[in-house]
Amino acid sequence: MALAGLTGSAAAVRRMLRSLRLVCKVRRKKRYNSYQGEQGIVAPNLLNRQFDATSDFTAGRGIRAHLFLNPGLRAS
């Protein structure tokens, strides 16, 4: 409509497109994804330690701020 020199609201344009059974394909923007794959080199397990995926993680409210405590990984 703008190219033809006509003006109108977005709702009027949508009604006109619906009455003519026209569909506008809108390309969605690609969302940001920071994943870049595996990074760096994994060090060899020289001590042959067996780590499990669980860790003790505690969160709580302190006097002035939030506290996050993680004593470390447990070795089996």
Side-chain angles (χ1 to χ4, degrees):
M1 285 178 41
L3 295 175
L6 302 173
T7 58
S9 66
V13 172
R14 279 194 298 264
R15 273 194 306 269
M16 185 183 305
L17 288 173
R18 194 176 336 140
S19 68
L20 297 173
R21 293 190 175 139
L22 295 175
V23 178
C24 177
K25 272 194 164 179
V26 177
R27 294 184 184 179
R28 292 184 58 115
K29 290 183 180 179
K30 185 177 178 183
R31 292 185 180 183
Y32 176 73
N33 186 359
S34 63
Y35 179 73
Q36 297 178 354
E38 294 292 328
Q39 296 290 317
I41 300 169
V42 177
N45 189 7
L46 298 177
L47 301 177
N48 294 325
R49 296 192 64 186
Q50 302 295 322
F51 293 99
D52 56 2
T54 61
S55 66
D56 295 328
F57 184 79
T58 306
R61 177 101 171 118
I63 296 173
R64 296 185 183 184
H66 289 282
L67 299 174
F68 300 97
L69 303 173
N70 188 357
L73 293 174
R74 288 187 247 170
S76 300

